[in-house]
Amino acid sequence: MPLFSIGTVQKLTGLSARQIRYYEEHGLIQPARTPGNQRQFSFADVERLMQIRQLLDEGHNIASVKRNLLDKDRRPRSSRPLSAKDVPDSEVYQWLERELMERRQTGEFQGDLSRFYRHR
């Protein structure tokens, strides 16, 4: 589900808007678009951008990153049963809320996702 603007994704990934657009131009990510044609990124898009950044930091070039991500996409997904190590969505959302509220007080994420969470 697309939730994040490009500005928020920049803060989450440490990438510049230009880098993110470049990766989109090369087909490494395909963010959703709003009716106004603005990019909207999902958690999966953010995770993929982090993978791209990691591969580039390891010394891979764009062609190698594309191959690596294509190979990963082609691998069958594990159908293993859930274990106690898997974190349920509710815990992920609680963690995200705590992080956003802590950062909201420092002003780092002011105006971003933190506005969806109210102090309780």
Side-chain angles (χ1 to χ4, degrees):
M1 180 162 103
L3 297 170
F4 306 111
S5 67
I6 196 165
T8 303
V9 173
Q10 284 178 266
K11 292 175 186 173
L12 292 172
T13 63
L15 298 168
S16 70
R18 178 66 198 122
Q19 288 171 303
I20 295 167
R21 288 189 301 266
Y22 179 81
Y23 302 146
E24 182 183 8
E25 289 169 14
H26 284 274
L28 298 174
I29 58 168
Q30 290 88 31
R33 297 287 183 143
T34 65
N37 207 30
Q38 293 180 338
R39 292 170 182 85
Q40 291 288 294
F41 298 85
S42 66
F43 282 108
D45 294 326
V46 171
E47 182 179 340
R48 189 165 182 107
L49 285 167
M50 296 297 287
Q51 291 171 347
I52 293 167
R53 182 176 180 190
Q54 180 181 359
L55 290 168
L56 291 171
D57 288 347
E58 291 172 359
H60 295 269
N61 61 24
I62 289 293
S64 174
V65 170
K66 278 184 183 180
R67 279 193 308 273
N68 191 308
L69 292 175
L70 281 174
D71 288 345
K72 187 175 181 178
D73 290 344
R74 288 183 187 144
R75 284 187 219 133
R77 300 224 187 267
S78 165
S79 60
R80 66 177 176 76
L82 292 177
S83 70
K85 293 180 182 178
D86 294 317
V87 180
D89 287 345
S90 60
E91 286 185 36
V92 172
Y93 292 129
Q94 288 172 358
W95 174 84
L96 180 61
E97 180 180 8
R98 279 193 308 274
E99 287 293 312
L100 289 171
M101 295 312 292
E102 286 173 13
R103 291 183 182 170
R104 182 178 191 182
Q105 293 168 358
T106 65
E108 184 178 341
F109 276 102
Q110 189 170 359
D112 291 328
L113 285 179
S114 59
R115 70 180 177 272
F116 293 112
Y117 296 101
R118 304 282 184 240
H119 287 287
R120 294 179 182 164

